[in-house]
Amino acid sequence: MATSPRKRKSSGTDDSDDGLPTNPLVTPLLTDMYQISMSYAYFSANKHNDPAVFDLFYRKCPFKGEFCVFAGLDECLRLVSTFKYSESDVAYIRTLLPPTVDEAFFAWLSTLDCKDVKVFAADEGSLVFPKQPMLRIEGPLGVCQLLETTLLNLVNFPSLVATNAARMRLASGPNMKLLEFGLRRAQGPDGAFSASKYAYLGGFDGTSNVAAGKFTGIAVQGTHAHAYVMSYTSLDDLRGTEIAASDDPSKKVEFLASVLEKRKTLGFEHTNDGELAAFVSYAQAYPRGFLALVDTFDTLQSGVPNYLCVGWALHELGYKALGIRLDSGDLSYLSKAARSLFKKTDSRIGQNLFSSDTIVASNDLNEEVILSLNRQGHEINSFGIGTNLVTCQAQPALGCVYKLVEINGTARIKLSQEVEKLVIPGKKELYRVYNGEGTPLLDMMQTSNEPPPQANRRMLVRHPFLENKRAYVTPARVECLLNLVWDGKKRLNHDSLSTCRKRCMEQLVKMRPDHIRSTNATPYKTSVTQSLYDFIHRLWLENAPVADLS
C-alpha cells in the first residue's frame, strides 16, 4: 500500500503514532468518479441517509486454488477512522460536477465522516472463501457508497499477495526460509511496500526492502550482487590483506595469506582470482555474516571453491561462514553438487565446517518451480523470491467486489445468468464449524435474525443456489467469522502484522490438506441454512423477469 509512510514505529506492528493510512494518497479522493456521481444522485433524491448494508467479497479463488488469505484490514480501518474531505478536496470535486449541483451537497461532503458507519470483518490473515463477506459495511447509503473503491483497493492486492505467499509457503514446506526479493520488479514503490508487508503475512520470513523493514518490523536480509564480484579483477585489487581478530576487533591479523594457503591445500588454484578477491574483501567487511553469491563466473569450478577457501580461513580465525547463494542455472543440480563439495571438503580437512551451510536459491522462482525442485530432491535451505511473488504474475488481480445487499431493512439481490455472479442477499452472519479434531468442516451463512449454530447440535446446510446439494452436520465447535471492528467511534481491532501472520499459518495447518494442495484442490464448502436458502430463492423468483414467449 505505501511508499511514503508518515511517522511510524519500528515495533513490528502496523500501528502508527497518528493512526492515519500508511499511504498519504489514501484519502476519500482515492475513488472512482462514478462514486461521486452516485453520491450526488443519492443526495438529490434524499436517499443519502437511508440505512444500507454492503458486502465486500470475491467470487473465484485465485491461482486456480481453493482458498484466499484476507489481508488489508488494518489499512481499511485506518481509512474509515480518518475519513474526511478537506476544503481543497471539496473544491476539486466542485470542478468535476455540473454547475447545477446543489450547494448543499458540497456542504454535506465537507462534514462527512464515518461516525454512523459500522464495519464487521473477518480477522486479518484468516482464510476466506468465495461469496463470503470479508467486510460488511453498515451505515448511511451515501457514505457507504463513497467507501467502495477505496476499500476494494485496500483489500484486493494485499489479499492476492498474501495468498500467493501462502501458496509458496505451502509448496516450500514449513522449514524452508523464504525471503521476498521483489522491490526492483514491483509495480512502483507503493506495490513494493505492499508486497513486502503482505508476503510476510502470507508466510515469508524476511524481505530485502529496507523501508518495509523499518516501518513494519519485518526482518531485512541481503548479501551482495554480481557487481560486487565483478568490481574485482585480481588479488591486487585488495586494499588490505588483514581482518579483525574475532576476540579483539581492534586487532588485525593476516587473512589473505591464510586464504591462499587453504586454496593450495584444497587444490583450487584454478579459480577466478577476481572473484576470490571479492570474497576476501566481503569477508573482511562481514566476518560474521559471510554469505557469497557464487555464480558470477562458474558456480562449481570457481564460486563454491572460492567460498570454501575463504570460509575455512575464517574458521581458523574464530568465525563461521554462513553459506552461498545460487542465482542461475539448474538450481537443483547445483545445490546438490555444492552440498556434495561441502561434504567432500569437510572429509578432506577432517572437520565439520561446511556440510550444513546454508544454500540460498533465487532466479525467477515461482510455485511451480518450487514444487519441481522438491520433486528433484534439492539441497536448498532458503528461497529468495521476487518477480513472481510481488507482481503475482500467475494472476494479476483478485477481483473482489462490493455489493449492496440491503437498503432500508429490505434485502436486495443481484441476479445474473452466471451462477458465479449471483449475490447472496441480505444482512448475514458467517460461522465456521469444526469437527472434534479441530479441522474446519465448512463455513455457514445465515440470516442475521437466526440464532447462531450450536456445538453438538445437528443442523441442515445447503448450497446457496443448487437444489440437490444439502447435508446434515454436527459441529464440535462453532466460530463466528464476522466481528465488529469499527463502531463509528473507535476501531476495535489492533492485531499486529506478526499476529496476522501467525493466524494465517495456524489456519493453513488446520485445513484439510486436499483443500489447500497446489493442484486439483477440493473446493471448501460455504453453505447456507435452510432459512437463508428459502429466502434467496424467494427473492430470486420475485426479482427475475418472466419471459414472454408468445
Side-chain angles (χ1 to χ4, degrees), residues 281-327:
S281 173
Y282 203 76
Q284 288 171 318
Y286 300 102
R288 300 187 189 278
F290 177 59
L291 192 146
L293 177 60
V294 295
D295 68 338
T296 305
F297 300 111
D298 189 294
T299 299
L300 300 179
Q301 297 301 316
S302 183
V304 175
N306 279 335
Y307 165 76
L308 293 169
C309 297
V310 175
W312 188 10
L314 281 173
H315 172 74
E316 288 203 339
L317 295 173
Y319 298 108
K320 176 69 181 80
L322 301 182
I324 63 172
R325 178 162 74 96
L326 305 172
D327 192 48

Side-chain angles (χ1 to χ4, degrees), residues 460-481:
L460 177 67
V461 296
R462 306 199 62 161
H463 187 283
F465 306 112
L466 302 180
E467 183 177 356
N468 61 345
K469 288 197 173 184
R470 54 185 181 173
Y472 285 105
V473 62
T474 304
R477 182 169 73 88
V478 177
E479 177 186 10
C480 179
L481 297 184

Side-chain angles (χ1 to χ4, degrees), residues 63 67 161-174 176 178-180 199 202-204 364-371 374 383-394 508 516 518:
F63 308 112
F67 74 91
V161 170
T163 306
N164 199 19
R167 292 180 63 87
M168 291 181 182
R169 165 54 68 193
L170 290 170
S172 302
M176 179 66 66
L178 296 181
L179 303 173
E180 178 269 312
F204 272 58
D364 288 333
L365 296 173
N366 59 30
E367 184 181 352
E368 287 187 11
V369 171
I370 292 169
L371 292 169
N374 289 344
F383 289 130
I385 307 177
T387 307
N388 291 293
L389 172 63
V390 303
T391 67
C392 296
Q393 281 189 342
L508 287 171
I516 58 174
S518 59

